[in-house]
Amino acid sequence: MQNFKRLPSFIFLLAMSLASLSTLSAEIDSYRNARFSGEGSSYIDSVINERMKSAVLELNELEVACPVNAREGDDVYDVMKSHISSPFIGHAIAVEFDETLPEGRIVRTNFDYSVYSTINWLEGVSLNLKGLLGVTKIGGRRVGVDKLGHFFVEGFGFFRRAYIKKEGSVANAIRWGKFTENSYFGLTTTGVYSNADLVANFNGMRFWNMLFLFEKDAAFNSKNRYSETPFLSCDNAKWKLNKKFSIRYFVDDSWDESLNCNYYDSEKIQDAVVNAQAIQMGYSELSKNDGMVCPRVKRDCSYEKYKYGKFARDLLHESCFDEKKAYRVNPELYNYANFPHFYSGGSAYDWSSMSNFLD
């Protein structure tokens, strides 16, 4: 586990959380409902494509000038952001999709039955204030709707730090993203540092860059027509869309927190999450999985390593590079008869007290 230091004091954090609750991160439980198969990508695509069409209509009505580089595109970005979501806040986007995805295309886990149920207010302020958002499938991959907020909003933050700010770079954008996960979007609010959040941010940066493609796409597997065609064309303040938005193009397995594992603010939180999931998996599944809890299936992350290239170590959990870093338990050391089934009621059990059962 990487060593992270909680930045602000709890009192300051609580005040910040209450004052700006809508801007802080929310979590999802990627472990529960593993058999859920509801595909949400077509709905997400339809919503975003309609909003991008509306944005282009407004650009034409306003006769917004054609930018010649990323730094001159502020008027375009403002219009696009206002149509994608108002207010342009990641949590607002996540909540909207959580509430509007059609029945059967999203699954939600009650906080009391989730792997986070024993995390208290001191350990995860925002997590306890906001609860959990739902999970959908995108191209067959399980993705929390919180990642859509990260994709569009924090993705724009990545884009700005990479391509708009003076002396910007993708490395600077990722450095900022890691800071946010280490502080107000992660460890100091939810107690969870999400590598999958960073991946969503990075791909959101790709989306915003793809409006014009003034800069080369930052992904290393992007030699194809979709990635080499900008979303927008402009000629003498006349705007048009060149292609449709597809969230599936940007998503890979590393968007799934049960595959691209999290880090946690303390060993107590980590043990609680790992034990809660291990107990639900049970002896048979754990034995077949060699005791591995996260990632939930054995993987070498080869596709993501190639896609993210030199940025992969910043975006992917260290288990992608060293299998010994996976979260595991020893199935033989559990006395399952003494452990209540995790779904046998609404009570929150103190799984963290069972840290001696971890390898």
Side-chain angles (χ1 to χ4, degrees):
M1 178 179 176
Q2 293 188 2
N3 293 320
F4 296 107
K5 184 177 181 181
R6 181 169 290 206
L7 300 180
S9 69
F10 172 70
I11 295 176
F12 171 78
L13 174 62
L14 179 59
M16 180 183 70
S17 299
L18 294 173
S20 57
L21 180 60
S22 64
T23 66
L24 296 176
S25 181
E27 285 298 329
I28 45 91
D29 187 337
S30 292
Y31 295 95
R32 300 300 189 236
N33 301 295
R35 295 179 178 85
F36 173 72
S37 60
E39 181 73 25
S41 56
S42 61
Y43 176 81
I44 296 166
D45 289 352
S46 66
V47 169
I48 299 302
N49 278 307
E50 285 302 313
R51 294 179 183 181
M52 291 181 72
K53 288 180 183 177
S54 297
V56 169
L57 288 175
E58 182 173 348
L59 290 172
N60 282 316
E61 290 173 1
L62 296 176
E63 297 183 341
V64 174
C66 306
V68 296
N69 57 55
R71 293 184 178 89
E72 294 185 3
D74 283 348
D75 291 342
V76 180
Y77 307 140
D78 287 345
V79 170
M80 190 63 68
K81 287 190 292 184
S82 70
H83 282 267
I84 287 175
S85 179
S86 182
F88 192 67
I89 296 171
H91 188 63
I93 294 174
V95 169
E96 177 188 353
F97 280 108
D98 186 78
E99 294 176 345
T100 62
L101 270 160
E103 184 177 353
R105 299 191 186 189
I106 186 170
V107 62
R108 301 173 185 86
T109 300
N110 186 292
F111 183 84
D112 288 337
Y113 302 152
S114 76
V115 294
Y116 299 118
S117 65
T118 60
I119 297 177
N120 60 36
W121 280 75
L122 179 62
E123 295 161 340
V125 177
S126 178
L127 187 65
N128 279 272
L129 281 170
K130 290 184 174 181
L132 300 175
L133 295 176
V135 173
T136 188
K137 277 202 167 181
I138 297 175
R141 297 178 170 94
R142 288 152 42 86
V143 175
V145 295
D146 65 317
K147 302 300 179 282
L148 299 175
H150 278 276
F151 179 84
F152 288 109
V153 178
E154 281 69 59
F156 185 79
F158 264 46
F159 172 71
R160 187 166 66 86
R161 287 165 176 82
Y163 303 121
I164 298 177
K165 292 188 73 172
K166 187 177 181 181
E167 299 180 355
S169 69
V170 175
N172 286 344
I174 293 175
R175 190 175 299 112
W176 171 75
K178 293 171 73 172
F179 168 78
T180 66
E181 285 300 317
N182 194 29
S183 56
Y184 51 85
F185 285 149
L187 294 182
T188 57
T189 52
T190 65
V192 179
Y193 179 110
S194 172
N195 292 290
D197 285 357
L198 294 177
V199 168
N201 298 349
F202 183 94
N203 282 280
M205 174 190 70
R206 297 178 60 213
F207 163 77
W208 287 102
N209 181 56
M210 212 174 284
L211 289 187
F212 305 113
L213 278 176
F214 288 130
E215 303 290 340
K216 181 182 176 182
D217 187 7
F220 286 79
N221 66 331
S222 59
K223 295 286 186 180
N224 57 64
R225 183 176 178 182
Y226 190 88
S227 66
E228 294 177 347
T229 303
F231 282 104
L232 301 176
S233 291
C234 181
D235 182 16
N236 196 27
K238 302 297 182 183
W239 294 85
K240 71 174 183 177
L241 276 172
N242 296 319
K243 63 182 180 184
K244 291 185 177 181
F245 173 80
S246 173
I247 189 63
R248 286 171 292 184
Y249 172 78
F250 298 96
V251 170
D252 55 65
D253 285 340
S254 63
W255 288 55
D256 183 342
E257 292 182 6
S258 70
L259 296 176
N260 190 14
C261 308
N262 298 325
Y263 298 113
Y264 301 97
D265 189 49
S266 68
E267 293 290 342
K268 181 180 179 181
I269 296 176
Q270 177 179 309
D271 290 355
V273 171
V274 172
N275 275 294
Q277 177 58 10
I279 290 167
Q280 193 210 27
M281 290 172 69
Y283 177 80
S284 178
E285 185 176 353
L286 284 171
S287 298
K288 292 177 183 177
N289 216 29
D290 194 27
M292 189 165 62
V293 174
C294 191
R296 57 185 170 82
V297 296
K298 188 173 182 179
R299 60 196 297 266
D300 62 9
C301 311
S302 55
Y303 174 80
E304 293 95 327
K305 289 177 185 176
Y306 173 63
K307 176 179 178 179
Y308 299 117
K310 64 182 180 181
F311 308 117
R313 286 190 177 272
D314 292 307
L315 302 173
L316 306 178
H317 187 262
E318 55 193 338
S319 59
C320 284
F321 307 93
D322 181 357
E323 189 176 326
K324 294 179 182 178
K325 300 295 185 180
Y327 297 137
R328 296 177 182 273
V329 298
N330 187 337
E332 304 299 331
L333 293 183
Y334 278 95
N335 183 356
Y336 295 91
N338 289 337
F339 296 147
H341 192 279
F342 198 71
Y343 276 66
S344 63
S347 299
Y349 298 96
D350 186 13
W351 305 117
S352 60
S353 66
M354 291 181 265
S355 59
N356 58 304
F357 291 99
L358 288 169
D359 283 340

